[in-house]
Amino acid sequence: MSIHSNNFFSNVLRRQVTVNVILPEPTGPTGGVLSAYAQGPQLLPTIWLLHGLGGDATTWLRRTAIELLATQYRVAVVMPQTERGFYTDMVHGPHYWSFLTQELPARMQYIFPLATDRAHNYVMGNSMGGYAALRWALSEPQRFAAVAALSPVADLARFRTEQAAIMPDMDLAFDPQRLTDSPVSLTYLLAHYQSVIPGLRVLATTGSADILRSMDLALRPQLAAQFGTDFTWQEQVGHHDWSLWNQQLPAAMHWLMKGSWQVV
């Protein structure tokens, strides 16, 4: 696999940022990288992979088999970093949403051979990153073929109250008076969703002892009502941790790229 630690100056954040990128390197019968992945005009399908609270641009590389899965499915993976900012334009802090949704795709597609069409772009994340993946896909369904949210923060108002010990700095990111009636809310986005053709495919998962399980269960019927057969729900035994997400990741990758939940 080809792994790139890309550092560039962000005009939005006004500082240097780090984004890790995996480019697949499938090999042929002699062990060499296939020529289509070593040279030529081919543009790669891309997963925009978002880290959770406390994570960074290296988290998915260090904690999972994403490197192997990227080559297995012949897909590029882009892993940005937004600190504890919930991928939003913070009330008191950097504008991570503008960075993520506007600047990052343009810069990455300029630097790397990444596909720009909707059919070959996907977004996935866990926990805080799962929230951002859903928010991005619901806000811009014309950009993605599918979104996968592993144990997402599904309700910002509940998270602010129930998980205050985990994120006491949440009011730096969001206006506490606008957590339910603005585009930062997944429920708000679902209520105002503008469907696309073909439909956006949506996957949401949780664990049997996940700390966010109850809010994910509450979001489930809203997703099902909006997306119907394009919505997939999965539960596995586990907690809100990497043991659960490593169990789910191979099947989630297959779902993103092939349309079914299974480990191959």
Side-chain angles (χ1 to χ4, degrees):
M1 283 66 67
S2 173
I3 300 178
H4 306 261
S5 181
N6 186 258
N7 302 90
F8 66 90
F9 185 83
S10 165
N11 290 330
V12 171
L13 301 179
R14 305 302 299 169
R15 63 174 175 82
Q16 294 293 137
V17 296
T18 298
V19 181
N20 283 318
V21 178
I22 302 171
L23 301 182
E25 290 188 330
T27 56
T30 62
V33 176
L34 296 175
S35 60
Y37 293 86
Q39 59 185 345
Q42 176 177 215
L43 297 180
L44 297 167
T46 306
I47 295 174
W48 304 84
L49 185 58
L50 310 181
H51 66 78
L53 188 66
D56 61 18
T58 71
T59 301
W60 285 97
L61 283 170
R62 291 186 292 109
R63 300 279 190 138
T64 76
I66 189 62
E67 183 181 356
L68 296 173
L69 290 165
T71 284
Q72 179 180 339
Y73 289 100
R74 303 189 180 192
V75 60
V77 181
V78 178
M79 295 164 285
Q81 180 170 315
T82 69
E83 319 303 336
R84 296 172 58 84
F86 251 83
Y87 298 89
T88 197
D89 285 351
M90 298 179 69
V91 175
H92 304 288
H95 284 192
Y96 288 120
W97 182 249
S98 298
F99 166 71
L100 175 70
T101 63
Q102 300 172 30
E103 185 176 30
L104 180 71
R107 293 294 290 271
M108 293 296 97
Q109 289 165 353
Y110 173 75
I111 297 169
F112 297 101
L114 307 180
T116 59
D117 61 306
R118 179 189 178 222
H120 294 98
N121 274 272
Y122 314 86
V123 60
M124 177 164 61
N126 68 313
S127 196
M128 179 183 79
Y131 157 79
L134 284 172
R135 180 182 171 188
W136 195 1
L138 294 175
S139 301
E140 298 186 290
Q142 74 281 0
R143 187 190 288 269
F144 302 106
V147 53
L150 311 184
S151 304
V153 175
D155 186 323
L156 294 175
R158 285 186 57 184
F159 186 83
R160 178 177 180 267
T161 301
E162 296 172 6
Q163 304 300 330
I166 294 176
M167 193 173 180
D169 46 348
M170 192 167 180
D171 288 356
L172 296 178
F174 298 103
D175 178 349
Q177 304 302 315
R178 300 299 308 279
L179 294 178
T180 60
D181 65 346
S182 76
V184 304
S185 163
L186 298 182
T187 296
Y188 177 96
L189 290 172
L190 284 166
H192 295 81
Y193 182 73
Q194 299 294 315
S195 61
V196 291
I197 299 175
L200 175 72
R201 294 188 296 114
V202 179
L203 167 70
T205 77
T206 191
S208 60
D210 199 311
I211 60 171
L212 303 184
R213 176 180 173 80
S214 62
M215 68 173 67
D216 291 340
L217 287 172
L219 186 68
R220 177 184 178 182
Q222 299 173 54
L223 290 169
Q226 182 60 254
F227 293 101
T229 58
D230 285 327
F231 172 60
T232 300
W233 171 263
Q234 286 291 327
E235 296 185 41
Q236 281 71 42
V237 174
H239 297 263
H240 194 80
D241 58 24
W242 286 102
S243 294
L244 174 65
W245 301 321
N246 269 296
Q247 177 187 351
Q248 294 175 336
L249 181 60
M253 285 283 289
H254 191 83
W255 180 90
L256 277 177
M257 307 306 298
K258 302 296 183 180
S260 63
W261 176 273
Q262 64 185 84
V263 177
V264 178

